[in-house]
């Protein structure tokens, strides 16, 4: 699982006009999966099921 920052640099993720994260392939906004026991947030694309991690 790649980090959100690396994916933004590599062009896998983009930001829309409201600074929301958008999948580079599907151009859909990412969903968030929060686990209160861990320090990372998992961002998931609803269409292609790709996952990226984001440190909180």
């Amino acid at each position: 699982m790649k980090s959100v920052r690396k994916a933004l640099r590599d062009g896998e993720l983009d930001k829309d006009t409201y600074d929301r994260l958008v999948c580079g392939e599907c151009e859909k906004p990412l969903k968030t999966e929060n686990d209160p026991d861990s320090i990372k947030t998992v961002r998931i694309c609803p269409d292609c099921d790709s996952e990226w991690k984001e440190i909180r």
Side-chain angles (χ1 to χ4, degrees):
M1 186 178 339
K2 202 177 221 183
S3 73
V4 170
R5 284 184 172 189
K6 285 183 183 178
L8 281 169
R9 278 185 259 148
D10 293 343
E12 293 177 20
L13 293 178
D14 293 320
K15 287 191 174 186
D16 64 2
T17 55
Y18 300 106
D19 278 342
R20 293 179 292 208
L21 291 173
V22 177
C23 181
E25 294 177 23
C26 310
E27 298 182 4
K28 297 281 184 174
L30 300 182
K31 303 292 180 188
T32 303
E33 185 177 289
N34 255 343
D35 184 13
D37 294 331
S38 73
I39 62 168
K40 68 179 179 183
T41 301
V42 179
R43 306 298 301 251
I44 303 168
C45 177
D47 285 351
C48 64
D49 292 328
S50 298
E51 295 183 345
W52 297 273
K53 65 182 174 182
E54 183 176 33
I55 303 295
R56 293 190 251 154

